[in-house]
Amino acid sequence: MKAAYQLKRAVCAVGTSALAIAAAAGTASAGGFDVREQSALFQGMSFAGAAAGGTALSSMFWNPAAAGYVGQGITMDSSYSLILPRADLTVEELSGALAASQSGLDRTVDVGRDAIVPASYIAYRVSSQLVLAMSMNSQFGLGTKPDNTDWAGQTVGRASKLFSINAAPTLAYEIAPGVQIGVGVQVQYLDLIRLRSAVPPAAFASGTLEGDDIGVGVTAGINITPMPGTSIGVGYRSAIEHELEGKFTIGGVPGSTPISADITTPEKVTLGIRQDLAPGLRAHATVEWTNWDRLGVVPIDGLTGTALEFNWEDGWYFALGGEYDYSNELTLRAGVGYEISPIQDAESRLVQLPDADRIWLSVGGSYKVGDLMGIVKDASIDFAYSHLFVEDADFVRSPANAGIPLTIAGDVDASVDIISVGLRSKF
């Protein structure tokens, strides 16, 4: 009865985090509209070794087999990340039928929006071989809004907001000594709350696209410990198909137009390695591939000739990091990552998502605080800070709103700061 009560309390805590996820949407800090901030511990190493398992339960986001390394009883892991982006867009060129009407407007705006992203995990060891686990995450998110909506690029973007909630019940099982496998089901709610741009030629009213859907996918992974001090993990998160159904509205115009669009989120494969170098000193590495190429062009049914034009390439992420046990209570971490953006040319770069290649620099640590209030056992507080250096990039957009052509070209100057805290504990 006591274990059941503790499990109920833990599940309620994870559910509370889900409500927080629903309220969070900010500028994507990873390639495309991916959200990488799923663990304060691994952020301290720029997510190096995140799929290798054995360090924190949050590793199960990248590799469900990592849940198999938790101890007895109920294990919880949660984190909260504050994302502070800066994304300055400058319009350098205006041409076409609407150029004159845009020429007197502000040509430089910051579209970055701050956001808080939570992530929560819970696991219960059923037997020496079997672990039941559950994660709640926001895998995809996007939020941009110019500090001046009446800017020279308003016909290609005034605001955007997208968020998702992923619930992933998971099984991890030890099939042989040192070999764990994991499988899970992803239930993903995807909500395109707002994709807004100005609609010419009159007073440039805002045209808004909205839509949502629930889709289902899978996760799978394996973790191998070939020798003491070495851990290798490979994890897979499947693509998820969504049939977004919503509406298109124009500010000041009564009524709305029903719309729909079929979009498939990309699958992800992550390789993680952890290696002991000396007592208290460990090295970590990650290679990750995300299939953004599958997005292509997404037609919007209900609006003739309108589509979400992605035409992106695959995304890649590489990271190296390390951690050092400074004392029995304090562990320090650092890491560097390099991300190859799926957006590699100016014609594919949306002003709502001015993404480009980036370098991650991160530091972090953990402090063991022990038991709390006689209920929580072996509690540890994680903390991390990252700065992202985003490569300067160009954008060229040629909308044909209301059949009136206009070409808008410019450049992007962006960077991101991320602060994360987390709590790991047992019941």
Side-chain angles (χ1 to χ4, degrees), residues 80-390:
Y80 293 84
S81 300
L82 174 62
I83 303 175
L84 304 170
R86 178 188 60 82
D88 293 333
L89 306 182
T90 300
V91 174
E92 302 287 356
E93 177 186 344
L94 284 168
S95 61
L98 288 176
S101 62
Q102 306 290 299
S103 60
L105 301 178
D106 191 352
R107 292 205 172 204
T108 299
V109 293
D110 180 5
V111 300
R113 292 182 61 183
D114 300 345
I116 295 178
V117 178
S120 292
Y121 310 85
I122 181 172
Y124 177 69
R125 180 165 288 282
V126 178
S127 68
S128 60
Q129 293 176 296
L130 178 64
V131 172
L132 303 180
M134 177 80 169
S135 65
M136 295 289 289
N137 307 83
S138 179
Q139 184 178 352
F140 301 108
L142 168 67
T144 56
K145 184 177 182 180
D147 47 21
N148 179 4
T149 56
D150 292 325
W151 69 297
Q154 62 181 309
T155 57
V156 291
R158 270 184 170 168
S160 63
K161 190 173 183 180
L162 166 79
F163 79 81
S164 66
I165 301 173
N166 277 60
T170 300
L171 295 175
Y173 191 80
E174 185 182 44
I175 60 173
V179 181
Q180 302 273 356
I181 60 172
V183 294
V185 176
Q186 294 188 74
V187 181
Q188 183 181 86
Y189 174 66
L190 187 68
D191 190 359
L192 179 62
I193 303 175
R194 180 174 62 246
L195 187 60
R196 181 176 295 166
S197 61
V199 179
F204 294 101
S206 287
T208 303
L209 294 173
E210 302 175 54
D212 61 354
D213 184 56
I214 296 177
V216 178
V218 300
T219 64
I222 185 170
N223 195 278
I224 302 173
T225 306
M227 64 185 74
T230 301
S231 181
I232 302 171
V234 178
Y236 168 76
R237 296 182 71 89
S238 76
I240 298 179
E241 296 180 357
H242 288 279
E243 297 179 1
L244 296 177
E245 295 188 358
K247 60 184 179 179
F248 173 75
T249 60
I250 297 179
V253 177
S256 62
T257 301
I259 60 170
S260 63
D262 295 334
I263 187 170
T264 302
T265 60
E267 59 266 55
K268 180 192 300 287
V269 177
T270 308
L271 167 66
I273 301 173
R274 187 184 77 252
Q275 177 64 54
D276 289 358
L277 301 178
L281 181 63
R282 297 168 294 278
H284 298 251
T286 280
V287 177
E288 184 174 87
W289 166 79
T290 307
N291 188 21
W292 287 109
D293 179 70
R294 69 160 53 252
L295 266 68
V297 177
V298 180
I300 299 176
D301 296 332
L303 294 177
T304 304
T306 303
L308 300 175
E309 298 181 6
F310 294 101
N311 290 319
W312 294 349
E313 302 177 13
D314 291 345
W316 288 89
Y317 185 71
F318 308 90
L320 291 173
E323 55 184 350
Y324 172 64
D325 296 331
Y326 181 81
S327 67
N328 290 333
E329 293 78 24
L330 180 62
T331 298
L332 302 177
R333 301 183 180 88
V336 59
Y338 179 67
E339 185 157 15
I340 301 176
S341 169
I343 305 173
Q344 290 295 316
D345 58 77
E347 288 74 16
S348 299
R349 186 164 290 109
L350 308 176
V351 298
Q352 298 95 337
L353 185 55
D355 188 32
D357 295 352
R358 62 195 68 194
I359 294 175
W360 288 67
L361 291 181
S362 304
V363 293
S366 297
Y367 188 81
K368 296 179 181 178
V369 297
D371 298 349
L372 298 174
M373 297 179 293
I375 300 175
V376 176
K377 306 292 185 181
D378 301 327
S380 293
I381 297 174
D382 303 318
F383 49 91
Y385 167 75
S386 299
H387 182 78
L388 280 59
F389 299 87
V390 183

